Amino acid sequence: VLSSCWKRKQWYQRRVRGDRNAYVWNLNAETGVWEPSLVLLRIERAATYIRWSPAEDRFAVGSGARLLSVCFYDNEHDWWVSKHIKKPIRSTILCVDWHPSNHILAIGSCDFKCRIFSAALKETNDKPEISGWMPKLSKFSALLAEYETQGWVHSVKFSPSGDRLAWAAHDASINIVHMDSKDSVIRSLTPSLPLLSIIWASEGSVVCAGHDNYPSLYNINGDTLSAGTRLDVKEKKAGGGMSAMARFQQLDRTGADTKDSTLGTTHQNAIVELRVTATGGDGTCTQFSSVGMDGKMVLWNLDALASSIADLKI
């Protein structure tokens, strides 16, 4: 299983697997049993990423087949069918995100590109609205924007309002673009190791994480991005150090060094995904979760972090 996502309004969950299959699981209220429904993806390579749309009437599946499957329910045949977006995708899709309008989506792929497509379906009688991302009504699979980076695009995310799009790439860069100025991209090459996930803390700030093992917050200041503020700050233990003489005596007595090899971060390995778990009344993130390759899932409270970390602005 490479990716999964919950449907918030009902007890639905969908999963994609490396065997090119996807399933939508529905909880039967009478029997309490999860019942799977097969999705007709029609792909020849592994499915890699999956996300429900905001209206939860469709979902998008990225794959290694160099195409994106947008799936919707066919009441007549009682199954989930898909339509494909192929051109101009040239490599494996690593991430997908939906615009709040439900008719636009963004993808990141291994061909160093972030792309925005129209996902309006005539089968569901969609009536998309004109916006900065879609200046004129566009049919399904129309390419609305394309941006180039210097590495794989690991994560892509629309802001809560949908006015901005952010993506993180393997070159440790953070990229942000506004729909009213699509040709002007705010790009910040961070000093960190490659970033794997990005989320919006508010309309003016993002949280990123990756191979540094801790999340960092960046603020948008006009046409620039401020230096990242580390959110995983641990208090140093008083008197926990060992002098050089004491360490030599320890080595001489036991033949082993007792130096602690634990990293000074909550996660002991790369953070692979961030998810917003709670928001305030204005849509800003108040709590998010992180999962890492160390097997940990951690909840982060931004309000508590703001009060404990100096100069932290969200």
Side-chain angles (χ1 to χ4, degrees):
V1 177
L2 298 179
S3 182
S4 66
C5 189
W6 285 92
K7 188 175 182 180
R8 297 183 179 183
K9 298 177 182 177
Q10 293 176 313
W11 284 100
Y12 280 89
Q13 185 192 40
R14 69 188 187 283
R15 298 177 182 176
V16 293
R17 310 192 313 189
D19 60 2
R20 300 171 296 174
N21 290 324
Y23 294 90
V24 176
W25 294 79
N26 177 32
L27 179 63
N28 190 314
E30 296 180 358
T31 62
V33 177
W34 287 94
E35 300 174 348
S37 299
L38 183 62
V39 182
L40 300 179
L41 289 179
R42 300 181 291 117
I43 58 177
E44 299 177 352
R45 297 290 186 271
T48 56
Y49 201 88
I50 190 166
R51 278 295 178 271
W52 282 107
S53 69
E56 299 182 345
D57 60 346
R58 69 198 71 181
F59 56 87
V61 179
S63 69
R66 298 185 297 178
L67 59 84
L68 180 73
S69 300
V70 178
C71 307
F72 58 96
Y73 191 70
D74 185 351
N75 289 302
E76 182 179 352
H77 297 93
D78 192 25
W79 59 21
W80 293 83
V81 296
S82 63
K83 294 186 69 175
H84 289 167
I85 299 176
K86 297 181 179 180
K87 296 181 180 180
I89 304 171
R90 292 290 179 266
S91 190
T92 300
I93 297 173
L94 297 178
C95 53
V96 180
D97 193 51
W98 287 87
H99 187 269
S101 68
N102 204 64
H103 302 134
I104 299 172
L105 52 76
I107 68 168
S109 52
C110 288
D111 58 1
F112 299 4
K113 297 290 181 65
C114 174
R115 298 182 175 94
I116 304 174
F117 291 99
S118 169
L121 296 168
K122 63 179 181 180
E123 290 82 359
T124 57
N125 299 318
D126 285 350
K127 296 180 180 180
E129 297 180 356
I130 295 175
S131 67
W133 299 118
M134 190 186 294
K136 61 180 180 179
L137 296 181
S138 304
K139 64 180 182 179
F140 178 82
S141 79
L143 179 64
L144 304 178
E146 182 180 77
Y147 302 98
E148 186 172 0
T149 64
Q150 300 301 314
W152 298 344
V153 180
H154 287 293
S155 183
V156 60
K157 186 68 65 176
F158 280 104
S159 64
S161 67
D163 293 347
R164 285 189 170 105
L165 177 70
W167 64 94
H170 198 74
D171 60 351
S173 68
I174 302 172
N175 306 268
I176 298 174
V177 63
H178 195 281
M179 68 176 184
D180 293 333
S181 54
K182 292 190 293 184
D183 296 332
S184 178
V185 179
I186 301 174
R187 184 174 186 269
S188 175
L189 189 60
T190 68
S192 66
L193 294 174
L195 300 169
L196 299 178
S197 188
I198 187 170
I199 59 173
W200 288 88
S202 66
E203 282 293 326
S205 57
V206 294
V207 177
C208 306
H211 288 281
D212 276 336
N213 309 342
Y214 58 82
S216 298
L217 185 137
Y218 294 81
N219 290 308
I220 302 173
N221 297 318
D223 296 332
T224 61
L225 206 61
S226 67
T229 302
R230 177 172 170 171
L231 299 181
D232 186 6
V233 179
K234 287 190 174 182
E235 296 181 359
K236 295 182 179 180
K237 297 180 180 179
M242 180 183 293
S243 65
M245 178 59 72
R247 177 162 293 174
F248 179 79
Q249 291 174 343
Q250 176 74 17
L251 282 169
D252 182 60
R253 183 169 61 255
T254 64
D257 191 354
T258 59
K259 183 179 180 180
D260 188 7
S261 60
T262 303
L263 299 178
T265 55
T266 302
H267 282 285
Q268 296 298 296
N269 208 325
I271 295 175
V272 294
E273 188 170 12
L274 302 174
R275 291 273 191 106
V276 176
T277 56
T279 57
D282 55 353
T284 59
C285 174
T286 58
Q287 181 180 273
F288 67 92
S289 65
S290 62
V291 291
M293 296 182 69
D294 56 355
K296 290 182 180 179
M297 182 181 73
V298 182
L299 293 176
W300 307 82
N301 189 307
L302 279 178
D303 293 335
L305 291 171
S307 61
S308 60
I309 301 176
D311 300 327
L312 180 62
K313 298 179 180 179
I314 303 175

mmCIF file of all heavy atoms in Angstrom, residues 4-21:
data_model
loop_
_atom_site.group_PDB
_atom_site.id
_atom_site.type_symbol
_atom_site.label_atom_id
_atom_site.label_comp_id
_atom_site.label_asym_id
_atom_site.label_seq_id
_atom_site.Cartn_x
_atom_site.Cartn_y
_atom_site.Cartn_z
ATOM 1 N N SER A 4 -2.946 6.290 1.058
ATOM 2 C CA SER A 4 -4.341 6.140 1.483
ATOM 3 C C SER A 4 -4.879 7.501 1.900
ATOM 4 O O SER A 4 -4.116 8.403 2.241
ATOM 5 C CB SER A 4 -4.466 5.143 2.646
ATOM 6 O OG SER A 4 -3.834 5.645 3.811
ATOM 7 N N CYS A 5 -6.208 7.656 1.875
ATOM 8 C CA CYS A 5 -6.819 8.924 2.236
ATOM 9 C C CYS A 5 -8.255 8.677 2.685
ATOM 10 O O CYS A 5 -8.977 7.866 2.081
ATOM 11 C CB CYS A 5 -6.789 9.881 1.045
ATOM 12 S SG CYS A 5 -7.288 11.568 1.450
ATOM 13 N N TRP A 6 -8.664 9.368 3.746
ATOM 14 C CA TRP A 6 -10.007 9.228 4.295
ATOM 15 C C TRP A 6 -10.952 10.246 3.668
ATOM 16 O O TRP A 6 -10.567 11.361 3.357
ATOM 17 C CB TRP A 6 -10.000 9.444 5.809
ATOM 18 C CG TRP A 6 -9.434 8.299 6.573
ATOM 19 C CD1 TRP A 6 -8.134 8.129 6.954
ATOM 20 C CD2 TRP A 6 -10.135 7.144 7.045
ATOM 21 N NE1 TRP A 6 -7.992 6.953 7.639
ATOM 22 C CE2 TRP A 6 -9.187 6.328 7.721
ATOM 23 C CE3 TRP A 6 -11.463 6.725 6.979
ATOM 24 C CZ2 TRP A 6 -9.537 5.119 8.305
ATOM 25 C CZ3 TRP A 6 -11.810 5.526 7.567
ATOM 26 C CH2 TRP A 6 -10.860 4.733 8.221
ATOM 27 N N LYS A 7 -12.197 9.827 3.521
ATOM 28 C CA LYS A 7 -13.270 10.732 3.145
ATOM 29 C C LYS A 7 -13.882 11.256 4.433
ATOM 30 O O LYS A 7 -14.323 10.480 5.286
ATOM 31 C CB LYS A 7 -14.318 9.987 2.310
ATOM 32 C CG LYS A 7 -15.376 10.882 1.695
ATOM 33 C CD LYS A 7 -16.293 10.059 0.783
ATOM 34 C CE LYS A 7 -17.337 10.933 0.119
ATOM 35 N NZ LYS A 7 -18.234 10.150 -0.757
ATOM 36 N N ARG A 8 -13.928 12.575 4.612
ATOM 37 C CA ARG A 8 -14.302 13.153 5.902
ATOM 38 C C ARG A 8 -15.792 13.055 6.208
ATOM 39 O O ARG A 8 -16.196 12.855 7.338
ATOM 40 C CB ARG A 8 -13.871 14.621 5.951
ATOM 41 C CG ARG A 8 -12.372 14.807 5.864
ATOM 42 C CD ARG A 8 -11.985 16.261 5.998
ATOM 43 N NE ARG A 8 -10.546 16.452 5.935
ATOM 44 C CZ ARG A 8 -9.951 17.616 6.083
ATOM 45 N NH1 ARG A 8 -10.672 18.699 6.296
ATOM 46 N NH2 ARG A 8 -8.644 17.711 6.013
ATOM 47 N N LYS A 9 -16.637 13.227 5.202
ATOM 48 C CA LYS A 9 -18.070 13.337 5.445
ATOM 49 C C LYS A 9 -18.728 11.981 5.676
ATOM 50 O O LYS A 9 -19.787 11.896 6.276
ATOM 51 C CB LYS A 9 -18.750 14.036 4.261
ATOM 52 C CG LYS A 9 -18.259 15.462 4.052
ATOM 53 C CD LYS A 9 -18.902 16.096 2.836
ATOM 54 C CE LYS A 9 -18.373 17.500 2.609
ATOM 55 N NZ LYS A 9 -18.948 18.115 1.384
ATOM 56 N N GLN A 10 -18.136 10.904 5.162
ATOM 57 C CA GLN A 10 -18.688 9.575 5.331
ATOM 58 C C GLN A 10 -17.561 8.607 5.636
ATOM 59 O O GLN A 10 -16.385 8.930 5.495
ATOM 60 C CB GLN A 10 -19.430 9.129 4.059
ATOM 61 C CG GLN A 10 -20.693 9.945 3.769
ATOM 62 C CD GLN A 10 -21.329 9.518 2.450
ATOM 63 O OE1 GLN A 10 -20.659 9.371 1.438
ATOM 64 N NE2 GLN A 10 -22.620 9.298 2.476
ATOM 65 N N TRP A 11 -17.936 7.390 6.021
ATOM 66 C CA TRP A 11 -16.933 6.386 6.359
ATOM 67 C C TRP A 11 -16.431 5.723 5.074
ATOM 68 O O TRP A 11 -16.778 4.600 4.737
ATOM 69 C CB TRP A 11 -17.509 5.352 7.322
ATOM 70 C CG TRP A 11 -17.634 5.864 8.717
ATOM 71 C CD1 TRP A 11 -18.754 6.330 9.330
ATOM 72 C CD2 TRP A 11 -16.586 5.994 9.674
ATOM 73 N NE1 TRP A 11 -18.481 6.753 10.604
ATOM 74 C CE2 TRP A 11 -17.149 6.544 10.852
ATOM 75 C CE3 TRP A 11 -15.223 5.706 9.671
ATOM 76 C CZ2 TRP A 11 -16.399 6.797 11.983
ATOM 77 C CZ3 TRP A 11 -14.489 5.956 10.807
ATOM 78 C CH2 TRP A 11 -15.072 6.498 11.946
ATOM 79 N N TYR A 12 -15.616 6.464 4.356
ATOM 80 C CA TYR A 12 -14.995 5.950 3.149
ATOM 81 C C TYR A 12 -13.490 6.126 3.265
ATOM 82 O O TYR A 12 -13.007 7.130 3.775
ATOM 83 C CB TYR A 12 -15.466 6.711 1.903
ATOM 84 C CG TYR A 12 -16.811 6.281 1.366
ATOM 85 C CD1 TYR A 12 -17.976 6.867 1.829
ATOM 86 C CD2 TYR A 12 -16.909 5.307 0.380
ATOM 87 C CE1 TYR A 12 -19.213 6.493 1.327
ATOM 88 C CE2 TYR A 12 -18.139 4.931 -0.134
ATOM 89 C CZ TYR A 12 -19.284 5.530 0.342
ATOM 90 O OH TYR A 12 -20.497 5.161 -0.164
ATOM 91 N N GLN A 13 -12.774 5.123 2.787
ATOM 92 C CA GLN A 13 -11.328 5.223 2.698
ATOM 93 C C GLN A 13 -10.893 4.633 1.365
ATOM 94 O O GLN A 13 -11.471 3.653 0.893
ATOM 95 C CB GLN A 13 -10.629 4.452 3.821
ATOM 96 C CG GLN A 13 -9.111 4.633 3.822
ATOM 97 C CD GLN A 13 -8.409 3.653 4.727
ATOM 98 O OE1 GLN A 13 -8.773 2.495 4.791
ATOM 99 N NE2 GLN A 13 -7.391 4.122 5.426
ATOM 100 N N ARG A 14 -9.881 5.239 0.765
ATOM 101 C CA ARG A 14 -9.375 4.681 -0.476
ATOM 102 C C ARG A 14 -7.887 4.436 -0.357
ATOM 103 O O ARG A 14 -7.181 5.155 0.352
ATOM 104 C CB ARG A 14 -9.680 5.605 -1.664
ATOM 105 C CG ARG A 14 -8.908 6.892 -1.662
ATOM 106 C CD ARG A 14 -9.408 7.836 -2.742
ATOM 107 N NE ARG A 14 -8.564 9.019 -2.876
ATOM 108 C CZ ARG A 14 -8.578 10.042 -2.051
ATOM 109 N NH1 ARG A 14 -9.381 10.044 -1.015
ATOM 110 N NH2 ARG A 14 -7.795 11.077 -2.248
ATOM 111 N N ARG A 15 -7.416 3.406 -1.064
ATOM 112 C CA ARG A 15 -6.009 3.034 -1.013
ATOM 113 C C ARG A 15 -5.523 2.702 -2.414
ATOM 114 O O ARG A 15 -6.281 2.210 -3.247
ATOM 115 C CB ARG A 15 -5.796 1.796 -0.117
ATOM 116 C CG ARG A 15 -6.199 1.986 1.339
ATOM 117 C CD ARG A 15 -6.006 0.700 2.107
ATOM 118 N NE ARG A 15 -6.439 0.833 3.503
ATOM 119 C CZ ARG A 15 -6.444 -0.185 4.366
ATOM 120 N NH1 ARG A 15 -6.054 -1.387 3.978
ATOM 121 N NH2 ARG A 15 -6.834 0.010 5.600
ATOM 122 N N VAL A 16 -4.241 2.963 -2.663
ATOM 123 C CA VAL A 16 -3.611 2.549 -3.909
ATOM 124 C C VAL A 16 -2.424 1.665 -3.554
ATOM 125 O O VAL A 16 -1.806 1.817 -2.508
ATOM 126 C CB VAL A 16 -3.155 3.751 -4.754
ATOM 127 C CG1 VAL A 16 -4.351 4.528 -5.241
ATOM 128 C CG2 VAL A 16 -2.218 4.665 -3.976
ATOM 129 N N ARG A 17 -2.124 0.737 -4.466
ATOM 130 C CA ARG A 17 -1.093 -0.259 -4.177
ATOM 131 C C ARG A 17 -0.134 -0.372 -5.360
ATOM 132 O O ARG A 17 -0.411 0.072 -6.464
ATOM 133 C CB ARG A 17 -1.729 -1.617 -3.891
ATOM 134 C CG ARG A 17 -2.836 -1.565 -2.871
ATOM 135 C CD ARG A 17 -3.280 -2.914 -2.377
ATOM 136 N NE ARG A 17 -3.515 -3.889 -3.431
ATOM 137 C CZ ARG A 17 -4.088 -5.078 -3.196
ATOM 138 N NH1 ARG A 17 -4.460 -5.409 -1.974
ATOM 139 N NH2 ARG A 17 -4.263 -5.926 -4.172
ATOM 140 N N GLY A 18 0.965 -1.014 -5.089
ATOM 141 C CA GLY A 18 1.960 -1.210 -6.119
ATOM 142 C C GLY A 18 1.552 -2.214 -7.185
ATOM 143 O O GLY A 18 2.235 -2.347 -8.201
ATOM 144 N N ASP A 19 0.458 -2.940 -6.973
ATOM 145 C CA ASP A 19 -0.005 -3.903 -7.974
ATOM 146 C C ASP A 19 -0.977 -3.267 -8.970
ATOM 147 O O ASP A 19 -1.730 -3.960 -9.647
ATOM 148 C CB ASP A 19 -0.654 -5.117 -7.302
ATOM 149 C CG ASP A 19 -1.855 -4.739 -6.445
ATOM 150 O OD1 ASP A 19 -2.203 -3.542 -6.403
ATOM 151 O OD2 ASP A 19 -2.444 -5.645 -5.827
ATOM 152 N N ARG A 20 -0.993 -1.920 -9.032
ATOM 153 C CA ARG A 20 -1.777 -1.143 -10.003
ATOM 154 C C ARG A 20 -3.269 -1.106 -9.691
ATOM 155 O O ARG A 20 -4.072 -0.716 -10.534
ATOM 156 C CB ARG A 20 -1.554 -1.675 -11.436
ATOM 157 C CG ARG A 20 -0.125 -1.615 -11.914
ATOM 158 C CD ARG A 20 0.042 -2.343 -13.202
ATOM 159 N NE ARG A 20 -0.227 -3.772 -13.041
ATOM 160 C CZ ARG A 20 -0.257 -4.641 -14.048
ATOM 161 N NH1 ARG A 20 -0.036 -4.204 -15.282
ATOM 162 N NH2 ARG A 20 -0.509 -5.902 -13.825
ATOM 163 N N ASN A 21 -3.644 -1.511 -8.482
ATOM 164 C CA ASN A 21 -5.055 -1.503 -8.096
ATOM 165 C C ASN A 21 -5.344 -0.409 -7.082
ATOM 166 O O ASN A 21 -4.474 -0.001 -6.312
ATOM 167 C CB ASN A 21 -5.469 -2.852 -7.500
ATOM 168 C CG ASN A 21 -5.518 -3.946 -8.545
ATOM 169 O OD1 ASN A 21 -5.891 -3.702 -9.688
ATOM 170 N ND2 ASN A 21 -5.127 -5.154 -8.157
#
